[in-house]
């Protein structure tokens, strides 16, 4: 444990592990002794652990039975009181990571469980109209804003409430933090040591600041879809273009224009036909494709466009 200003600092590691299951984006969670839903997390021991990533991989396997594949660092979360009310206890700092895998079969042992990402952030799924959900979230925010023009402008921009505002799927964290500021999520009341009201924004409550970490991970993944071929880290070796589109929609929360999406995939040159077909959909056999990989000389590979239907 490092020391800072006479107060200890505990360094922890947490990870957002995401994959696709039944055309849904899902995240790996664990359960604390008090019943809280958490992301996989554990301490970093500077004496025992040679690297942050090695420590992360080891404790995730120990906690969940799951072995991580692709991993990248997200952010360092160190707000005072993030894990417990402030006092004489050590400052808790967590280094967050994002991990992607094409297989959700593992991670079912111990207390690990795959949960739908949109069960945590239901307002982030724009694939179908949900007037009740929209009203519950935006009416609560509007009531909180009152006559404050700055607050109202933030709400309209983040939730695209007026025609001049376009929904930006990458701003997951900003939307969650706005709901937190407005005390429309249970975590805000818990962190203030107050009992929550009966009516709040829907969504699975998580322990500590793990819903904020998950929001950071989902926003990062949505952003990377457009400039790196990370979607293929969630795909099996062979896939149809319909399956690829469904994967992009499951992560982005958008309904994509079929022809425009396929034209965009063709322009990237990221996939190649295999000459095989699949009858899994029950209709006409669909052609199977594979990811070609990055350029072996430059390492370059583009992302995918997300042409949302209007």
């Amino acid at each position: 444990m490092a020391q800072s200003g006479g107060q200890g600092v505990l360094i922890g590691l947490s990870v957002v592990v995401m994959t696709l299951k039944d055309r849904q984006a899902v995240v790996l969670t664990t359960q604390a002794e008090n019943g809280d839903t958490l992301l996989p997390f554990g301490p970093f021991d500077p004496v025992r652990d040679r690297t942050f990533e090695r420590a992360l991989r080891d404790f995730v396997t120990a906690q969940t039975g799951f072995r991580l594949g692709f991993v990248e660092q997200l952010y360092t979360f160190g707000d005072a009181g993030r894990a417990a009310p402030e006092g004489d206890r050590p400052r808790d700092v967590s280094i967050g990571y994002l991990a992607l895998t094409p297989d959700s079969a593992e991670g079912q042992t111990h207390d690990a469980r795959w949960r739908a990402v949109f069960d945590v952030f239901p307002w982030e799924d724009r694939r179908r109209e949900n007037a009740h959900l929209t009203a519950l979230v935006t009416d609560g925010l509007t009531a909180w804003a009152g006559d404050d023009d700055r607050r109202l402008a933030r709400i309209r921009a983040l939730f695209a409430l007026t025609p001049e505002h376009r929904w930006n799927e990458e701003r997951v964290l900003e939307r969650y933090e706005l709901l937190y500021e407005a005390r429309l999520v249970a975590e805000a009341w818990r962190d203030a040591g107050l009992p929550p009201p009966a009516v709040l924004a829907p969504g699975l409550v998580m322990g500590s600041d793990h819903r904020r970490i998950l929001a950071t991970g989902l926003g990062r993944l949505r952003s990377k879809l457009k400039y790196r071929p990370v979607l293929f880290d969630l795909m099996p070796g062979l896939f149809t273009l319909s399956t690829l589109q469904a994967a992009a929609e499951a992560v982005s929360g958008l309904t994509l224009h079929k022809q425009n999406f396929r034209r965009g995939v063709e322009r990237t040159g990221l996939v190649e036909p295999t000459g095989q077909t699949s009858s899994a959909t029950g209709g006409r056999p669909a052609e199977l494709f594979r990811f070609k990989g990055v350029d072996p000389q430059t390492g370059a590979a583009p992302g995918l466009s997300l042409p949302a239907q209007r």
Side-chain angles (χ1 to χ4, degrees):
M1 181 172 68
Q3 297 293 321
S4 176
Q7 186 180 43
V9 175
L10 294 175
I11 299 176
L13 306 171
S14 55
V15 60
V16 176
V17 184
M18 290 184 62
T19 190
L20 299 170
K21 185 178 178 63
D22 300 327
R23 296 199 168 197
Q24 292 190 85
V26 295
V27 62
L28 189 62
T29 64
T30 62
Q31 189 172 39
E33 291 183 0
N34 64 1
D36 283 351
T37 298
L38 299 167
L39 299 170
F41 77 101
F44 173 75
D45 185 334
V47 175
R48 180 194 63 205
D49 300 320
R50 294 185 60 188
T51 67
F52 288 142
E53 186 175 322
R54 184 70 265 164
L56 179 80
R57 291 179 182 277
D58 288 346
F59 77 69
V60 167
T61 301
Q63 283 184 14
T64 70
F66 188 87
R67 294 189 181 277
L68 295 178
F70 165 89
V71 172
E72 75 167 48
Q73 190 169 317
L74 267 179
Y75 191 74
T76 298
F77 301 85
D79 291 355
R82 59 172 295 273
E86 295 182 60
D88 294 331
R89 73 180 304 281
R91 182 74 169 266
D92 192 298
V93 175
S94 179
I95 302 172
Y97 287 81
L98 173 65
L100 306 176
T101 174
D103 185 8
S104 64
E106 295 184 272
Q108 299 298 318
T109 59
H110 306 72
D111 291 323
R113 178 180 173 186
W114 292 101
R115 294 181 183 267
V117 171
F118 294 143
D119 285 350
V120 185
F121 305 114
W123 56 85
E124 292 295 334
D125 189 357
R126 305 279 288 190
R127 292 172 295 178
R128 56 190 64 86
E129 185 66 30
N130 189 329
H132 173 71
L133 172 62
T134 300
L136 188 62
V137 172
T138 57
D139 288 357
L141 286 170
T142 303
W144 165 74
D147 296 327
D148 190 316
D149 289 339
R150 291 188 177 182
R151 287 182 174 181
L152 288 169
R154 287 173 63 200
I155 295 166
R156 290 167 184 155
L158 287 172
F159 285 88
L161 299 187
T162 55
E164 64 266 27
H165 293 111
R166 176 184 173 276
W167 176 265
N168 185 337
E169 67 278 0
E170 298 175 24
R171 301 177 75 177
V172 184
L173 178 61
E174 292 175 75
R175 283 186 284 272
Y176 173 71
E177 290 190 329
L178 180 61
L179 290 166
Y180 184 99
E181 184 181 341
R183 290 193 173 180
L184 289 173
V185 292
E187 289 92 334
W189 294 87
R190 179 199 65 203
D191 295 348
L194 298 170
V199 179
L200 290 168
L204 177 68
V205 179
M206 300 186 75
S208 186
D209 57 354
H210 285 206
R211 190 147 54 148
R212 181 170 179 253
I213 296 174
L214 177 55
T216 305
L218 179 59
R220 171 75 65 84
L221 178 56
R222 285 178 166 183
S223 174
K224 287 178 73 72
L225 286 180
K226 301 171 187 176
Y227 65 88
R228 294 293 296 169
V230 292
L231 188 62
F232 298 98
D233 288 306
L234 299 171
M235 302 298 295
L238 300 180
F239 49 84
T240 66
L241 293 184
S242 292
T243 303
L244 185 65
Q245 179 175 336
E249 291 177 336
V251 174
S252 67
L254 303 173
T255 298
L256 303 178
H257 190 282
K258 181 177 178 179
Q259 286 75 24
N260 289 346
F261 177 79
R262 293 192 174 198
R263 280 195 287 267
V265 172
E266 291 171 1
R267 283 196 298 269
T268 65
L270 289 172
V271 303
E272 60 185 5
T274 64
Q276 303 175 55
T277 59
S278 170
S279 301
T281 60
R284 274 179 56 186
E287 189 171 14
L288 287 167
F289 291 78
R290 67 164 63 93
F291 175 49
K292 289 174 64 176
V294 300
D295 187 301
Q297 294 184 331
T298 66
L304 298 170
S305 63
L306 300 177
Q309 289 186 357
R310 298 300 179 188

